[in-house]
Amino acid sequence: MDRDRERRMSPKQIIGRIGLWFAVLVIVSPAILFFLWMLSLSLKFEIDNASYPPVFIPEHVAWKNYTDVLASNRFLTYFVNSLIVTGSATVLALVIGVPAGYGIARMAAHKSAIVILIARITPGLSYLIPLFLMFQWLGLLGTLVPQIIIHLVVTVPIVIWIMIGYFETTPMELEEAALIDGATRWQVFRHVALPIAKPGIAVAFILAVIFSWNNFVFGIVLAGRETRTLPVAVYNMISFDQLSWGPLAAAALIVTLPVLLLTVFAQRQIVAGLTAGAVKGG
């Protein structure tokens, strides 16, 4: 069937498909190349990393880079800190953002949506100084609480904005039928809207995790020695007197791995959430 379809394709369609795949290759290849080069750095000894011409595939694999990272620099503590901060910020963002997105979508509150969009595109550094002064006054600096709260500045607008767009595409007939049957607005939201919105919630969850997990600036300003997150821990491996590319690349890959695995295993949910409602009429 697919072969017959390919035979019936016109030259213009074939050229368009070739152009599409070429554009995808051009866009994706730098990211793949950088990832493979970082993987190569993490598996080489320092003498290979400093050699010229560069060595891409080493003769001897330096697994010691990974074991040194996991065994030193309080890496496990920083990993737990990242789990606590990211998990708390994501759950709170969903608890706040999903009902907010539903309310804004159903009330057609376009001005509120614009405010959310402004909050979404505003750099996090704009909030950092006043929040830093507030946390300093409250005596919370150096704990995980300020990081969780300030990560909400990033995650909540993402969740609300995604859920507004998703709820605007979901059918209203089921909700109207539930209201006619005597259900309250909260019951409609809980028993009708939420089950339908699961793909959108999955997308909002994944994006909130990614943005929170990778955040660096908030952690380096607000965290103490024992409350740093993984991105800050990788940065602290850089020193002025010595730079070991192998352990640094290994640490960066370990930090990237959880988000990468989450994206790979949840790619179907991401596609379903981003395309849900696309076939809805008028």
Side-chain angles (χ1 to χ4, degrees):
M1 187 72 179
D2 293 336
R3 292 180 179 178
D4 294 337
R5 185 179 299 175
E6 290 179 359
R7 291 173 184 174
R8 291 195 298 266
M9 290 178 59
S10 64
K12 185 177 181 180
Q13 291 175 326
I14 295 175
I15 295 174
R17 177 169 293 187
I18 294 175
L20 174 62
W21 282 107
F22 179 75
V24 171
L25 179 63
V26 170
I27 294 173
V28 175
S29 57
I32 296 177
L33 177 62
F34 294 150
F35 181 83
L36 292 178
W37 187 253
M38 188 165 61
L39 179 63
S40 174
L41 289 174
S42 70
L43 295 176
K44 292 186 295 187
F45 292 95
E46 289 307 306
I47 187 172
D48 292 327
N49 285 328
S51 64
Y52 185 84
V55 176
F56 185 72
I57 301 177
E59 295 183 2
H60 305 284
V61 177
W63 297 110
K64 185 174 180 293
N65 293 333
Y66 288 91
T67 58
D68 289 347
V69 169
L70 295 175
S72 64
N73 297 324
R74 300 185 179 89
F75 202 83
L76 182 59
T77 301
Y78 299 150
F79 180 78
V80 173
N81 291 340
S82 289
L83 287 179
I84 295 174
V85 172
T86 300
S88 302
T90 302
V91 171
L92 290 174
L94 291 175
V95 171
I96 298 171
V98 175
Y102 175 77
I104 294 173
R106 289 296 176 259
M107 296 176 63
H110 301 297
K111 293 182 179 180
S112 299
I114 293 175
V115 173
I116 298 300
L117 177 61
I118 294 174
R120 171 67 188 90
I121 64 178
T122 301
L125 288 174
S126 304
Y127 311 102
L128 185 57
I129 296 178
L131 287 175
F132 174 85
L133 295 176
M134 183 186 72
F135 292 136
Q136 186 180 45
W137 178 69
L138 294 174
L140 295 175
L141 286 181
T143 66
L144 294 177
V145 175
Q147 298 185 69
I148 295 173
I149 295 176
I150 202 168
H151 276 221
L152 294 177
V153 174
V154 177
T155 56
V156 170
I158 293 175
V159 173
I160 294 178
W161 187 252
I162 291 175
M163 297 313 300
I164 290 174
Y166 189 85
F167 281 123
E168 285 180 344
T169 63
T170 55
M172 288 286 298
E173 290 78 7
L174 295 177
E175 297 185 20
E176 293 172 353
L179 290 173
I180 293 174
D181 290 339
T184 63
R185 177 57 68 177
W186 169 251
Q187 290 173 332
V188 171
F189 170 72
R190 181 181 176 185
H191 298 291
V192 179
L194 276 184
I196 298 176
K198 284 182 179 179
I201 295 175
V203 174
F205 169 80
I206 294 168
L207 292 181
V209 168
I210 292 174
F211 277 89
S212 179
W213 183 272
N214 293 331
N215 191 278
F216 168 76
V217 176
F218 296 157
I220 198 172
V221 174
L222 299 175
R225 185 175 180 83
E226 298 294 332
T227 58
R228 293 168 180 163
T229 53
L230 281 181
V232 181
V234 174
Y235 172 77
N236 288 334
M237 296 181 64
I238 301 176
S239 60
F240 291 102
D241 55 345
Q242 182 181 6
L243 180 59
S244 300
W245 288 108
L248 183 62
L253 284 176
I254 294 174
V255 173
T256 308
L257 185 61
V259 173
L260 181 62
L261 292 177
L262 175 64
T263 305
V264 170
F265 285 110
Q267 58 181 329
R268 291 186 178 180
Q269 287 78 3
I270 295 176
V271 174
L274 292 177
T275 59
V279 297
K280 183 187 175 187

